[in-house]
Amino acid sequence: MTQLTSAPGPVAVAEAPRRRVSLPGGIDRVFRTVLRGAGFTVLALMATVGVFLLIRGLGAFSSAGLGFVTTQAWQPDSGNFGIAAVLVGTLLIASVALVVAFPLATGMALYISEYAPRRVRGFFTSLIDLMAAVPSVVYGLFGSTLLQWEGTDIPKWLSIQFGWIPFLDVPDADPDNPLSPNGVYMTSTFWAGLVVGFMIMPFICSVMRESFTQAPQGEREGAFALGSTRWGMIRSVVLPFGRSGMIGGTMLGLGRALGETIAVAMIISPVFVIQPHILGSGANSVSALIAQQWGSASPFGLGALMAAGLALFMLTLVVNFAASAVIARSRSGQGSDA
């Protein structure tokens, strides 16, 4: 006679008590306090700079009113002053710089992260970082003593071939006259933007390179396994994943370009009128205005320069905060479409 036995039921397993993690103490608490203090110190310094510029420029703001952002002339002692011309000039120089720096930075970042042999990858990375450490006055010397004098055929050719585009036209030039002086092509927004573009390219390239190298290895290999070429893998995996890093690096470069002073002041011929022709002589920027007018300004003129500095300070803060938000998002890989 067969004896039926029931299957044993599940055996209750006693759960081990969870180990409680105590709050950090000792050196951890000191380290956290130091970091928190450093963060608050940076915020306090930024707030101090902003409040200082606001207090020193309050008299100029009160005198100019809304005309401070609509007036092109800069004659603070006579009450006729504003930042319309220099602000537009600042944005134009920064725009030319981005047009120059973005393709160079993207190509160099892709080459270092995807194409360069391992033995030379570190060399190119160090070289790009070294370019970021070169003082701006060196770039200014390079632009004012070499590019402007030896490269005038570049803006001249651009104005002849693409003069039908309004901002590439040079009204004071006569391309049909071989004896026409080349001075109309020299101290322009184009040259200032070109030099600033060389300056900001290493910063943009560094952010892009870090973003590209973080693309998941599994997705790279999966693209190759599906028969993709290297460029197809870059287009479908690396670029979508690094899109946020590209945007963030470009915005960081924009913030750097907006505040560049010495190199721009060494190249441009300052004019206080909106100059939309980027190839023609004459340009200006807020930072160059402050550097050029500081030594000879009256007490009220110094207040007007402080007000202009506050406008540039706020513009740069907005750009940098937006860039930080985009870069923080890119580090988690949320920029990838995969």
Side-chain angles (χ1 to χ4, degrees):
M1 186 174 182
T2 305
Q3 184 177 1
L4 299 176
T5 59
S6 60
V11 179
V13 179
E15 293 184 359
R18 293 184 178 179
R19 183 172 61 89
R20 294 184 179 181
V21 179
S22 60
L23 293 177
I27 191 63
D28 290 333
R29 182 171 299 173
V30 172
F31 185 66
R32 184 180 60 180
T33 303
V34 170
L35 292 182
R36 183 177 298 171
F40 282 118
T41 300
V42 172
L43 293 177
L45 286 175
M46 292 178 56
T48 302
V49 171
V51 171
F52 169 76
L53 293 175
L54 178 60
I55 294 175
R56 294 295 299 271
L58 194 58
F61 282 128
S62 301
S63 175
L66 293 178
F68 183 74
V69 295
T70 59
T71 303
Q72 300 182 34
W74 187 263
Q75 300 170 351
D77 293 334
S78 62
N80 182 27
F81 65 98
I83 62 171
V86 293
L87 189 60
V88 172
T90 301
L91 295 175
L92 287 177
I93 292 174
S95 299
V96 174
L98 288 184
V99 171
V100 172
F102 181 80
L104 292 177
T106 304
M108 195 63 192
L110 285 175
Y111 175 74
I112 293 175
S113 63
E114 305 300 328
Y115 289 97
R118 187 177 299 273
R119 60 180 179 275
V120 301
R121 189 173 301 170
F123 170 76
F124 282 113
T125 301
S126 301
L127 187 63
I128 293 296
D129 295 339
L130 181 62
M131 287 183 62
V134 174
S136 60
V137 67
V138 176
Y139 286 100
L141 289 172
F142 172 70
S144 61
T145 61
L146 179 64
L147 291 181
Q148 283 184 308
W149 295 95
E150 302 296 334
T152 53
D153 289 338
I154 298 175
K156 186 175 182 179
W157 181 84
L158 290 174
S159 66
I160 293 174
Q161 300 296 325
F162 304 99
W164 50 272
I165 302 176
F167 63 88
L168 295 181
D169 182 28
V170 182
D172 297 333
D174 185 8
D176 297 328
N177 183 7
L179 300 179
S180 178
N182 292 329
V184 294
Y185 299 105
M186 295 180 64
T187 57
S188 63
T189 300
F190 171 77
W191 290 120
L194 182 66
V195 172
V196 175
F198 292 156
M199 295 175 60
I200 66 175
M201 186 274 292
F203 299 94
I204 302 176
C205 181
S206 297
V207 177
M208 288 185 179
R209 186 183 69 242
E210 292 297 325
S211 181
F212 293 156
T213 55
Q214 293 177 8
Q217 187 64 28
E219 296 185 12
R220 295 170 182 262
E221 296 175 354
F224 286 131
L226 293 175
S228 176
T229 62
R230 180 175 293 273
W231 167 242
M233 182 275 296
I234 293 174
R235 187 178 56 186
S236 60
V237 177
V238 177
L239 291 181
F241 187 88
R243 183 181 302 152
S244 297
M246 296 172 66
I247 297 174
T250 303
M251 294 178 69
L252 281 179
L254 175 61
R256 178 76 168 82
L258 290 173
E260 179 49 42
T261 304
I262 298 300
V264 174
M266 294 175 65
I267 293 174
I268 64 172
S269 176
V271 294
F272 295 100
V273 62
I274 294 178
Q275 169 61 294
H277 307 286
I278 64 173
L279 300 178
S281 179
N284 215 333
S285 70
V286 177
S287 55
L289 168 69
I290 296 173
Q292 294 166 347
Q293 299 283 333
W294 183 265
S296 60
S298 63
F300 183 79
L302 288 178
L305 292 177
M306 294 287 184
L310 179 62
L312 180 62
F313 178 74
M314 298 303 298
L315 178 62
T316 306
L317 278 185
V318 170
V319 172
N320 286 335
F321 278 135
S324 298
V326 175
I327 291 175
R329 183 172 177 266
S330 70
R331 286 173 180 165
S332 63
Q334 296 179 18
S336 177
D337 291 339

